[in-house]
Amino acid sequence: MWIIYLTLAVLLLVMTILPKIQHSHWIFRVPEFAKIQVTYLIFFTFLLGLFTDPKEYLWYYQGLLLVLFVHHSHILIKYTRFYPVKKHRQRHKSSDKLHFISANVYQFNKEYEKFIGLVKKYNPDFFMTMESNGDWEKAMRPLEKEYGFQHKVTLENTYGMHFYSRIEIKEAKTHYFVADDIPSIEIHMKTADGFSFVFFGVHPPPPSPTEEETSKERDGDLLSTAKCVKDIKKPVIVVGDFNNVAWSRSSVLFRKTSHLIDPRIGHSFVSTFHAKYRLLRFPIDLMFHSEDIFIKQLKTLENFGSDHLPVYCEFFIDHHNDEQEELIETATSEEKAEAEIMIEEGKKEDGERETVVTED
């Protein structure tokens, strides 16, 4: 038992230290995805130490585990209901409630009817799909009558995006910030009660041993979006499969550069990936919004065959409510310079992706 305890203690220390090293290689970036699991494992390893035969230095290891647990908990508690945030209420000058679904459908998932059934069940005002290719576009055609406004970026490289809306689309753009095969979408809409807002959909590539070796393209793409968002004067929502977690350095820079709010703070993790493995589920489908957008509900929905759970959000717009102003954090001059470096590195990175990806 001592060997197991010691191995776990050393592994957990390494998993804590690696993300602190600001290197873009996936070896350093992937461990930060598992911060929730690492925190639980630290706790159970500490308990294991209480039942281990006393050895020399045992209490030093126990003390180390306690420090690690406090360190991770201090970061994670912000994304729970234990963290105090102001409650807001909807006023008469606000917009009607709006609902949307964001879903990474997994390009090779053939359970199209399950997803269509999900859309019909929750009846959102608009929805976005990621990893949607030509087959998915064809499968979703029955929804086009109900969702008369669309913006489609059909790709076969697992980075296609489709947007469907009942709300009028005034303008739609597709951006390729760091690579010509990684799109982001910018949708300007106006509601029936006269409220204009902008929806950004993002899906940058992840750092992993099977995809991109580094996080450079991901971080460059996200921070390019943040710079673009900062200059928009309308209410803004940025949603998508960020392939990132809210507490990572690049996510914090994204939030500060864009002047947006993370609605998970004081709420919950809203973990989405992997849909089939609850204990190995990470919150990588993120959302950020401007101060005049108020989130009423943010949650995951049931699995429809994808490797990601879909995200459901209910919100309203209120230009006269300043209760969220204090939640806005802005980047320092050093952080702005760091963000610019990340953007340039992302543009220089040459991801080796196939134009058409087939399932292994």
Side-chain angles (χ1 to χ4, degrees):
M1 187 178 285
W2 170 249
I3 297 299
I4 295 172
Y5 170 83
L6 193 60
T7 302
L8 284 172
V10 172
L11 176 63
L12 292 166
L13 178 61
V14 171
M15 293 282 283
T16 301
I17 291 174
L18 282 177
K20 297 294 180 187
I21 301 171
Q22 292 306 312
H23 193 287
S24 61
H25 195 278
W26 66 264
I27 288 176
F28 300 94
R29 302 279 59 86
V30 168
E32 63 194 351
F33 283 51
K35 185 179 285 289
I36 300 168
Q37 288 79 2
V38 166
T39 305
Y40 277 115
L41 196 52
I42 289 170
F43 177 72
F44 287 116
T45 304
F46 181 85
L47 293 181
L48 180 64
L50 299 178
F51 296 96
T52 301
D53 293 333
K55 300 280 186 179
E56 191 176 5
Y57 304 125
L58 170 64
W59 292 107
Y60 289 100
Y61 285 107
Q62 288 288 82
L64 173 64
L65 289 170
L66 189 60
V67 170
L68 294 181
F69 182 78
V70 171
H71 166 72
H72 288 289
S73 299
H74 174 71
I75 295 170
L76 293 179
I77 198 170
K78 287 181 66 176
Y79 304 94
T80 71
R81 296 187 183 278
F82 296 110
Y83 190 79
V85 291
K86 257 186 185 178
K87 302 297 180 185
H88 49 259
R89 57 188 177 84
Q90 191 165 1
R91 300 178 180 179
H92 68 279
K93 292 183 179 179
S94 68
S95 72
D96 293 334
K97 290 178 185 176
L98 299 167
H99 314 74
F100 72 83
I101 291 174
S102 169
N104 183 322
V105 297
Y106 181 58
Q107 181 171 299
F108 310 106
N109 174 21
K110 303 300 183 185
E111 298 190 52
Y112 309 119
E113 289 303 318
K114 277 192 175 181
F115 179 72
I116 291 171
L118 189 83
V119 172
K120 290 180 177 178
K121 177 181 176 181
Y122 289 96
N123 197 29
D125 296 295
F126 56 92
F127 68 91
M128 177 183 70
T129 61
M130 294 157 284
E131 288 202 31
S132 40
N133 62 355
D135 290 340
W136 270 95
E137 182 178 321
K138 183 179 178 181
M140 291 189 291
R141 280 178 189 159
L143 294 170
E144 292 184 6
K145 185 177 180 181
E146 182 70 23
Y147 294 90
F149 301 94
Q150 301 121 30
H151 182 66
K152 303 172 183 177
V153 188
T154 308
L155 298 172
E156 302 293 332
N157 64 350
T158 72
Y159 290 96
M161 303 180 84
H162 289 71
F163 184 86
Y164 297 82
S165 177
R166 290 196 190 103
I167 301 170
E168 182 182 3
I169 294 177
K170 290 293 188 180
E171 183 182 5
K173 302 177 185 177
T174 302
H175 299 283
Y176 296 90
F177 288 120
V178 298
D180 60 7
D181 59 347
I182 301 294
S184 300
I185 59 173
E186 177 184 347
I187 313 292
H188 293 247
M189 292 184 280
K190 188 171 184 178
T191 65
D193 54 348
F195 287 80
S196 297
F197 68 101
V198 182
F199 178 97
F200 267 83
V202 299
H203 182 204
S208 80
T210 58
E211 296 197 47
E212 297 305 308
E213 185 176 325
T214 74
S215 65
K216 289 180 180 180
E217 277 191 310
R218 180 199 70 183
D219 297 342
D221 189 77
L222 292 176
L223 288 165
S224 294
T225 302
K227 281 187 66 180
C228 185
V229 164
K230 182 174 66 69
D231 296 327
I232 295 175
K233 304 306 179 186
K234 301 174 187 176
V236 180
I237 297 174
V238 183
V239 180
D241 176 4
F242 278 58
N243 279 311
N244 206 357
V245 284
W247 46 81
S248 75
R249 178 62 180 167
S250 55
S251 278
V252 172
L253 282 176
F254 173 90
R255 177 164 50 81
K256 290 183 175 183
T257 302
S258 63
H259 300 173
L260 298 182
I261 296 165
D262 183 351
R264 283 170 165 78
I265 293 175
H267 178 64
S268 66
F269 297 116
V270 195
S271 298
T272 55
F273 177 87
H274 195 287
K276 295 179 181 177
Y277 310 114
R278 183 178 292 273
L279 295 179
L280 294 174
R281 194 171 290 170
F282 311 132
I284 64 173
D285 290 86
L286 303 182
M287 173 185 174
F288 296 86
H289 62 88
S290 55
E291 64 187 86
D292 38 15
I293 286 179
F294 293 80
I295 307 303
K296 295 289 288 183
Q297 193 174 21
L298 183 65
K299 64 180 182 180
T300 56
L301 301 178
E302 56 266 31
N303 187 11
F304 59 93
S306 175
D307 52 355
H308 288 246
L309 294 175
V311 175
Y312 172 89
C313 179
E314 176 185 325
F315 70 97
F316 63 88
I317 303 168
D318 189 342
H319 298 295
H320 305 283
N321 190 336
D322 60 1
E323 290 178 355
Q324 296 189 130
E325 277 187 4
E326 62 188 41
L327 300 178
I328 301 291
E329 291 185 73
T330 57
T332 64
S333 56
E334 291 82 5
E335 289 171 329
K336 290 177 182 177
E338 185 180 354
E340 290 293 340
I341 291 170
M342 286 185 174
I343 290 171
E344 291 307 311
E345 288 181 344
K347 290 177 179 178
K348 291 175 184 176
E349 190 76 0
D350 185 17
E352 298 179 0
R353 285 176 293 275
E354 300 291 336
T355 304
V356 177
V357 177
T358 56
E359 190 171 18
D360 293 333

